[in-house]
Amino acid sequence: MKAITLSFLIVLAFYSFSNVQNKGLFEFREFQKAVNNQTRTRTGEPGARYWQNSSDYKLEARVDDSKNILSGKGSIVYHNNSPAALKDIHFRLYQDLYKRGTARSVPLPVEDLHDGTFIGSLKINGIQYMIDNKPVNQNQITIFCTDLCINLTDSIPTGSSAVIELSWNFTIPSSTEVMRHMGRYDDNFFLGQWYPQVAVYDDIRGWDDTPHLGLKEFYNDFSNFDVTVHAPDGYIVWATGECDNLNSVLDEKIIEKLNYALSHDSIVSIIAPEDHKRSIIKGNVWHFTADHVPDFAFAVAKNYLWKGTSIIADKQSGRRVLVDIVYPADSLQYSKSIVVARDALLWTSFEFPVIAFPYTHATSFFNGSRDGVSMEFPMIANDATRADHNLHTAIVAHELFHNYMPFDMGFNETLFGWMDEGWAEFLENRFKGDNYSIYEQRDLKQYVSTAGTLSDSPLITASAELSFTSFAFMYLVKPCIALMLLEELMGGETFLQAAKAFMNSWNGKHPSPYDFFYTFDRFAGGDINWFWKACYFDYGYADLGIKSVDKNKIIIERKGNIPVSIRLEMTYDDNTQEKIYRNLNVWKTGATEYPVKIKTRKNIQTIILGDKLIPDVDNSDNVYQR
């Protein structure tokens, strides 16, 4: 009887462990806790008790072009929807990246360094915590790089809100350094990460207190914004959200052309060169609102040109989306980008992932820098230009696709930046197709040189191993290739269904990697943990080779652990050819060899394994010659 009981307990314990680990797929303990708390599930859907916090921002920004300073003030109403009373609160002071002496993971020019964000005043529920950039009580304030933590005098109870009043200013980066997400570009400005932002408190980790060191990107709550921008005289403002006082700031003829673009498919020169020969700006105080977005950014420029068109993103409702570009007048390269931008959003709305573009407009602001960094924000992107036209247009599309991920789906880019960047890179390559493929031109080459080296690590822990030299590979190349392999494994239609389900379940929420894995599991038609482990959890690389050839079969050896499909092109002695394909699921058992049977009596002259789209770190054994 004791033996039976002990055996039963062992079986029960093993079953429980297997259930927790989802048949062997490793889970972080934080995710296991979230499942137990019913905020997450192992089906990939949000749990019955899922929650997230949010803020209502009412801010004013004043851009001083003579002193190169942004000054801001306003209020934030922070809503605590979590089940916990919050004893502290974290703010992100992104401009402290430029603070002298702070830690950072990217090189910055000396001329851009300053004293950091100056907090003139910070009150929470009427209690003063900072004044003149100094803590009222040193024991309540901790600043670590860009993270400002305040130990609250009074907790924020669950289900209640806190009113935050603050003022601040900082010096706007303005060097010719091209590795900037924002700043001054000649006489024009793009302002992102410009306000003290309440950090995310979520159901998995609690407060996201990870400082921004310049390389990893961002993780934001979905919030509402009411923003007033005081621009320098003669400047126009473009931003996240909608401007509701255009009649006070723009000439009526410009507004007429904008309204025409908003309602027609044709491309309209909203501001053409001849428009700058007359006064088209009536005021310098611009007011914008944006609801349920993860961030707010704006551009301020003078003498720029503006083109726009609109698409019907949702045929059922007839909802139109403005697609527009704002650019310097010195190059035709910019003006051609609007066609790519328009076609990209039509493609996502009706071809893949067949989800209507989620916002009212998509603005590409070209800052005039060459070969610099482009950076996405909701409804507006800060774009540099590339000398290569194809690369330039591909990056324009890439930044626009970020409106789906991470802006419609609030990924944690700080910990898992490969999620949104991988999807954007995947969409970009699927959209461009045979016309131009960054995957073929750049990603595969970098995969061959980097996969399996010291610059490579498992995607699930990529953030911990990220370096300046490995960023593009870990956040763009490797996850893009993993998604392309996943699509091939599942088949295009099934993959599309899974992608739509994932996006529909998690739009406006904070999906984790496991929500991605488990959603696709539902559609896979079988256990694909072997794929997740190889492509997301394990060290490894893709490498197939021809091990041996005889008259009846070809032995293909899997020397790397990343599963890829087998594609063979054979030429026989009578010069006829045959192609053989095996899906990458032939490796699901963990086998390191696969026999390809030959059904002809012809003599094989040559065999070529793989093609230009299949990753393979060593193709020296991919050709057989008799």
Side-chain angles (χ1 to χ4, degrees):
M1 184 68 180
K2 290 182 179 179
I4 294 175
T5 303
L6 181 60
S7 299
F8 173 77
L9 291 174
I10 291 173
V11 170
L12 180 62
F14 178 78
Y15 173 80
S16 299
F17 176 79
S18 298
N19 185 50
V20 167
Q21 290 296 91
N22 193 40
K23 299 180 182 179
L25 188 64
F26 173 80
E27 287 179 353
F28 291 117
R29 289 166 58 193
E30 291 91 338
F31 183 81
Q32 295 178 31
K33 183 178 179 180
V35 171
N36 291 335
N37 290 337
Q38 299 182 46
T39 60
R40 308 276 164 162
T41 68
R42 292 194 176 91
T43 63
E45 299 160 306
R49 296 183 178 179
Y50 178 83
W51 56 266
Q52 62 192 41
N53 293 347
S54 65
S55 296
D56 296 322
Y57 290 86
K58 186 176 179 61
L59 306 175
E60 285 190 50
R62 187 178 299 273
V63 179
D64 187 330
D65 60 329
S66 63
K67 296 181 179 179
N68 207 41
I69 288 176
L70 184 145
S71 301
K73 64 179 181 179
S75 64
I76 307 169
V77 180
Y78 181 68
H79 305 287
N80 178 20
N81 301 314
S82 79
L86 301 180
K87 298 179 180 180
D88 56 6
I89 189 169
H90 288 255
F91 294 88
R92 298 189 179 109
L93 306 180
Y94 285 124
Q95 291 307 311
D96 278 9
L97 176 69
Y98 294 90
K99 188 175 183 178
R100 294 182 184 90
T102 197
R104 60 182 68 90
S105 57
V106 294
L108 294 177
V110 174
E111 57 266 37
D112 273 344
L113 302 183
H114 50 61
D115 294 329
T117 305
F118 184 92
I119 304 295
S121 175
L122 196 157
K123 294 181 180 179
I124 302 176
N125 288 337
I127 299 175
Q128 190 88 48
Y129 287 92
M130 293 188 71
I131 188 75
D132 292 332
N133 209 39
K134 295 179 181 179
V136 172
N137 182 342
Q138 188 69 52
N139 294 327
Q140 290 183 285
I141 305 295
T142 303
I143 297 179
F144 177 61
C145 298
T146 59
D147 180 72
L148 166 64
C149 177
I150 298 177
N151 293 316
L152 297 168
T153 301
D154 299 316
S155 298
I156 307 172
T158 180
S160 69
S161 302
V163 178
I164 303 157
E165 301 166 90
L166 70 168
S167 64
W168 74 97
N169 66 72
F170 63 86
T171 301
I172 301 170
S174 59
S175 71
T176 56
E177 167 63 44
V178 297
M179 298 297 292
R180 286 194 277 115
H181 294 157
M182 53 78 67
R184 183 171 188 158
Y185 304 87
D186 293 327
D187 287 333
N188 305 294
F189 302 83
F190 190 96
L191 285 311
Q193 295 110 35
W194 59 276
Y195 59 95
Q197 183 185 79
V198 182
V200 174
Y201 183 89
D202 68 17
D203 63 308
I204 293 181
R205 291 184 68 220
W207 283 113
D208 175 31
D209 57 0
T210 308
H212 177 61
L213 303 182
L215 196 57
K216 300 174 187 177
E217 294 185 358
F218 313 103
Y219 181 34
N220 305 331
D221 272 324
F222 290 88
S223 298
N224 302 320
F225 289 85
D226 181 318
V227 178
T228 300
V229 178
H230 298 263
D233 291 338
Y235 282 75
I236 297 177
V237 181
W238 295 265
T240 301
E242 303 302 313
C243 180
D244 59 14
N245 70 330
L246 283 175
N247 291 328
S248 300
V249 291
L250 271 184
D251 174 75
E252 62 182 17
K253 291 183 179 179
I254 302 300
I255 296 175
E256 286 177 7
K257 290 195 283 184
L258 172 60
N259 288 334
Y260 187 87
L262 282 164
S263 57
H264 289 79
D265 297 338
S266 54
I267 296 173
V268 180
S269 291
I270 301 169
I271 296 180
E274 57 269 21
D275 290 313
H276 286 298
K277 296 177 182 179
R278 59 188 178 85
S279 177
I280 60 173
I281 302 173
K282 296 166 60 176
N284 68 340
V285 180
W286 301 67
H287 183 251
F288 296 87
T289 58
D291 292 336
H292 201 63
V293 293
D295 203 356
F296 186 99
F298 63 96
V300 182
K302 62 180 179 180
N303 300 322
Y304 261 40
L305 304 183
W306 186 8
K307 282 189 176 182
T309 183
S310 62
I311 64 167
I312 297 177
D314 185 342
K315 290 182 179 179
Q316 185 173 358
S317 66
R319 179 174 66 86
R320 299 190 76 96
V321 172
L322 176 69
V323 183
D324 59 330
I325 62 170
V326 184
Y327 58 99
D330 60 357
S331 174
L332 292 176
Q333 182 181 15
Y334 303 108
S335 64
K336 297 177 182 178
S337 302
I338 193 167
V339 175
V340 173
R342 176 199 63 197
D343 292 348
L345 300 192
L346 283 170
W347 180 78
T348 54
S349 296
F350 298 108
E351 294 188 42
F352 192 99
V354 200
I355 292 178
F357 186 77
Y359 298 119
T360 57
H361 72 89
T363 302
S364 298
F365 177 86
F366 294 101
N367 58 48
S369 66
R370 291 284 181 177
D371 298 322
V373 170
S374 296
M375 187 64 200
E376 69 277 2
F377 296 88
M379 303 183 225
I380 187 168
N382 181 24
D383 283 323
T385 57
R386 299 281 178 160
D388 184 312
H389 174 71
N390 286 321
L391 180 59
H392 168 78
T393 55
I395 292 175
V396 169
H398 178 104
E399 303 306 334
L400 291 173
F401 292 149
H402 274 302
N403 282 283
Y404 287 92
M405 302 165 179
F407 301 143
D408 195 42
M409 302 175 70
F411 292 140
N412 184 340
E413 296 181 81
T414 304
L415 284 183
F416 307 110
W418 53 268
M419 291 187 72
D420 79 293
E421 291 295 346
W423 273 105
E425 189 81 349
F426 172 81
L427 292 173
E428 166 200 308
N429 283 293
R430 288 278 267 101
F431 164 63
K432 295 297 287 183
D434 293 335
N435 293 328
Y436 178 78
S437 172
I438 288 184
Y439 174 77
E440 181 181 342
Q441 299 291 329
R442 182 189 68 186
D443 292 356
L444 273 178
K445 293 178 181 178
Q446 190 169 1
Y447 186 88
V448 170
S449 64
T450 308
T453 70
L454 290 173
S455 295
D456 186 11
S457 61
L459 283 176
I460 197 69
T461 58
S463 177
E465 305 296 330
L466 197 65
S467 68
F468 188 70
T469 56
S470 66
F471 176 84
F473 177 76
M474 295 302 302
Y475 274 18
L476 295 166
V477 176
K478 189 172 182 177
C480 172
I481 288 176
L483 287 170
M484 296 181 81
L485 294 175
L486 180 61
E487 182 181 33
E488 185 176 7
L489 172 67
M490 298 179 69
E493 185 59 34
T494 302
F495 180 85
L496 173 59
Q497 292 174 7
K500 289 182 68 175
F502 180 47
M503 296 175 71
N504 286 329
S505 292
W506 287 97
N507 71 294
K509 301 180 180 69
H510 294 308
S512 74
Y514 296 101
D515 303 310
F516 161 56
F517 300 146
Y518 296 154
T519 297
F520 277 72
D521 277 348
R522 297 205 316 268
F523 293 84
D527 183 1
I528 59 170
N529 281 341
W530 60 273
F531 176 85
W532 299 129
K533 288 179 181 180
C535 291
Y536 290 87
F537 288 83
D538 294 343
Y539 285 92
Y541 50 87
D543 185 13
L544 297 184
I546 300 172
K547 183 176 182 179
S548 64
V549 179
D550 62 33
K551 198 165 186 177
N552 298 316
K553 65 182 177 182
I554 305 166
I555 301 297
I556 303 300
E557 182 180 14
R558 183 173 71 150
K559 298 187 294 181
N561 68 315
I562 302 297
V564 294
S565 60
I566 298 172
R567 294 179 187 268
L568 296 173
E569 183 176 306
M570 297 181 294
T571 302
Y572 296 104
D573 55 2
D574 61 357
N575 289 325
T576 59
Q577 291 185 325
E578 180 183 5
K579 292 183 178 181
I580 295 177
Y581 169 79
R582 297 290 185 271
N583 188 278
L584 57 101
N585 63 13
V586 299
W587 306 114
K588 65 182 179 182
T589 63
T592 57
E593 294 182 1
Y594 183 83
V596 178
K597 295 181 180 180
I598 307 300
K599 297 181 180 180
T600 181
R601 296 182 179 180
K602 297 178 182 180
N603 293 318
I604 298 173
Q605 291 296 318
T606 61
I607 302 173
I608 299 175
L609 170 65
D611 62 25
K612 63 181 182 180
L613 299 180
I614 296 179
D616 194 315
V617 300
D618 178 13
N619 59 13
S620 63
D621 51 4
N622 286 22
V623 177
Y624 165 82
Q625 187 78 40
R626 185 178 178 185

